[in-house]
Amino acid sequence: MKRAFTLLAGALLAGAFSVVAADSPKEDLKFLGIDKCKKDKFDCEWVDPSFSFSGKTIHVQKFKKDIEAPKGEDYGELDFKNADTFMQKVFTEKTNDKIEKTGCKFVVGGSGEYTLTGQITEFRYPKKGAAWGGWIGEAAGSGTIVYDWKIVDKSGKTVVAVHHKIVAGASYTLDRRVNNVHGDDMVDFVRKHAK
């Protein structure tokens, strides 16, 4: 009986994760302005070999959200209504102080040599009632934000392109996950490409 329960739990867990993974949008290569990208720090990323973050000021615009508002809510600061400006500000609030040595700086809005634009392609709130189920509950009740962002130069040529999905478990607010993932992965990404 114990073996049957273990097999059943394993099947449910695999099914829950595959459902979460299967229905999210993939990278929008047309929006990103590239032909292909590869998985590394982010689910899909591409950097022009001639580009370096070193010494660059990057003007971050509000993210587009051409999707329908989801049902639900979260207890954190990230809400569908403010997702466009939240994603804009997370670049400056969670990155700048950790990349000072590169000379790179992200600023909110404005215009300049480099501009970052993004789009949110999926937004789901965590299901608070699912937290009891451990990993199964976390997968089935996960909150999700999927987004693409790119940096273009003055001519409009893409120099950096990223697609990423952030999943927040049922007991973890989506804003906290976005802040942590962005703070860690983005800092490493900038440092790696600041030659």
Side-chain angles (χ1 to χ4, degrees):
M1 181 72 171
K2 187 175 180 182
R3 179 176 158 79
F5 177 76
T6 303
L7 290 172
L8 177 61
L12 288 172
L13 177 61
F17 277 118
S18 66
V19 167
V20 169
D23 62 354
S24 291
K26 300 292 183 200
E27 61 274 6
D28 182 346
L29 295 175
K30 184 176 179 183
F31 168 81
L32 293 172
I34 57 173
D35 295 325
K36 61 182 178 179
C37 52
K38 64 178 183 177
K39 184 173 177 61
D40 197 352
K41 279 286 179 193
F42 298 105
D43 294 327
C44 186
E45 63 184 58
W46 178 87
V47 179
D48 187 302
S50 66
F51 178 79
S52 169
F53 280 101
S54 182
K56 305 292 190 299
T57 297
I58 298 162
H59 297 266
V60 185
Q61 306 306 314
K62 283 188 351 182
F63 275 47
K64 295 177 187 173
K65 47 180 185 174
D66 294 331
I67 53 175
E68 289 194 29
K71 293 180 180 176
E73 62 181 338
D74 197 1
Y75 298 119
E77 296 176 16
L78 175 54
D79 189 273
F80 181 76
K81 292 186 289 276
N82 74 352
D84 51 357
T85 54
F86 187 94
M87 293 306 294
Q88 178 189 30
K89 289 180 181 176
V90 78
F91 281 85
T92 56
E93 293 177 2
K94 298 300 172 187
T95 308
N96 278 339
D97 60 338
K98 298 175 185 172
I99 59 168
E100 281 182 294
K101 290 182 180 177
T102 67
C104 180
K105 185 175 181 181
F106 291 90
V107 296
V108 176
S111 61
E113 186 68 33
Y114 295 96
T115 303
L116 186 152
T117 57
Q119 65 177 5
I120 298 166
T121 57
E122 181 178 70
F123 191 100
R124 288 188 288 190
Y125 290 108
K127 304 272 190 294
K128 298 300 172 191
W132 67 268
W135 280 102
I136 294 172
E138 294 287 332
S142 61
T144 307
I145 184 167
V146 181
Y147 57 98
D148 300 309
W149 61 268
K150 64 182 176 181
I151 297 172
V152 298
D153 64 16
K154 265 193 169 177
S155 73
K157 176 188 169 194
T158 298
V159 293
V160 178
V162 170
H163 167 80
H164 199 52
K165 174 181 181 175
I166 295 178
V167 177
S171 57
Y172 206 25
T173 59
L174 194 51
D175 68 310
R176 196 165 169 204
R177 281 294 295 145
V178 170
N179 286 335
N180 288 345
V181 168
H182 186 86
D184 295 340
D185 293 346
M186 188 64 187
V187 167
D188 289 345
F189 183 69
V190 170
R191 287 177 179 163
K192 178 181 175 182
H193 296 287
K195 1 176 182 83

